[in-house]
Amino acid sequence: MDLVTPRLRMRELEASDAPALHVALGDPIAMAAYEHGFSLEETNEWIAKQRHRYATEGYGLWALLRADTEELIGDCGITTQPVGDRTVIEVGYHLARGHWGHGYATEAARACVDWAFAHLDTDSVYARVRDTNLRSMNVAIRLGMTVRERFVVRYRGIDMPHLAFAVDRAGWPAASVA
């Protein structure tokens, strides 16, 4: 899998990506929606989980690289996730803080939603966003997504309210804005 945008490239994560990905996943500010930065062991487990997804589902979160430098700046991709009592197709991402504010999350997520509608039998793509994560809410809105429901994720003993944003195939890409 190799997904390319004007400024980014996405490919499958590899075990050797752990140190670079850990810059994003190990940062407690970048990972505030999870209430903690990952340990390096958790980052390695995260990569192993994505590799399992590639093998069993054909997709997952992919390594996100700047096209001009090939620097790994985070991850972005498509996963199946629970929302309420059902499972949905979700676009998700994590970026190292040094790369926030440049539109990379929106650019990568838009390419992933395009990929999902082109390759998967789904009528909608969701973004599960913690209700305190304004940056990710803004990415979802820029993708033309609207809030469909509220739900709670219990993670590490903490109840975390979330919003389920989504865009329908019928409204894509006309609903997305730059």
Side-chain angles (χ1 to χ4, degrees), residues 62-130:
W62 299 303
L64 179 60
L65 300 98
R66 284 184 42 172
D68 59 346
T69 64
E70 287 294 306
E71 176 187 5
L72 192 149
I73 62 171
D75 64 11
C76 187
I78 299 295
T79 60
T80 55
Q81 296 290 337
V83 169
D85 60 352
R86 67 193 186 289
T87 300
V88 301
I89 298 296
E90 186 214 22
V91 61
Y93 56 85
H94 308 92
L95 266 71
R97 270 192 294 153
H99 299 281
W100 289 4
H102 300 283
Y104 296 139
T106 302
E107 184 176 329
R110 181 175 285 120
C112 289
V113 173
D114 281 341
W115 185 92
F117 283 137
H119 294 92
L120 303 177
D121 182 22
T122 185
D123 291 326
S124 302
V125 175
Y126 282 74
R128 294 172 5 135
V129 181
R130 187 152 179 207

Side-chain angles (χ1 to χ4, degrees), residues 24-175:
L25 299 187
D27 181 349
I29 295 173
M31 297 297 284
Y34 290 74
E35 290 285 331
H36 77 293
F38 287 9
S39 68
L40 186 55
E41 181 180 337
E42 288 171 310
T43 297
N44 282 310
E45 291 168 0
W46 184 265
I47 292 171
K49 182 177 184 178
Q50 302 317 311
R51 295 199 56 78
H52 178 75
R53 283 177 164 152
Y54 308 151
T56 60
E57 298 175 20
Y59 52 90
L61 294 173
W62 299 303
L64 179 60
L65 300 98
R66 284 184 42 172
D68 59 346
T69 64
E70 287 294 306
E71 176 187 5
L72 192 149
I73 62 171
D75 64 11
C76 187
I78 299 295
T79 60
T80 55
Q81 296 290 337
V83 169
D85 60 352
R86 67 193 186 289
T87 300
V88 301
I89 298 296
E90 186 214 22
V91 61
Y93 56 85
H94 308 92
L95 266 71
R97 270 192 294 153
H99 299 281
W100 289 4
H102 300 283
Y104 296 139
T106 302
E107 184 176 329
R110 181 175 285 120
C112 289
V113 173
D114 281 341
W115 185 92
F117 283 137
H119 294 92
L120 303 177
D121 182 22
T122 185
D123 291 326
S124 302
V125 175
Y126 282 74
R128 294 172 5 135
V129 181
R130 187 152 179 207
D131 71 352
T132 56
N133 191 340
L134 296 178
R135 286 181 175 272
S136 285
M137 286 182 207
N138 286 328
V139 170
I141 290 165
R142 283 197 277 308
L143 294 174
M145 294 181 165
T146 57
V147 175
R148 303 293 172 90
E149 67 183 271
R150 293 180 176 272
F151 64 103
V152 174
V153 172
R154 185 156 185 82
Y155 180 70
R156 294 173 51 116
I158 301 169
D159 286 335
M160 301 178 180
H162 278 65
L163 299 171
F165 285 82
V167 64
D168 296 329
R169 179 185 295 273
W172 184 263

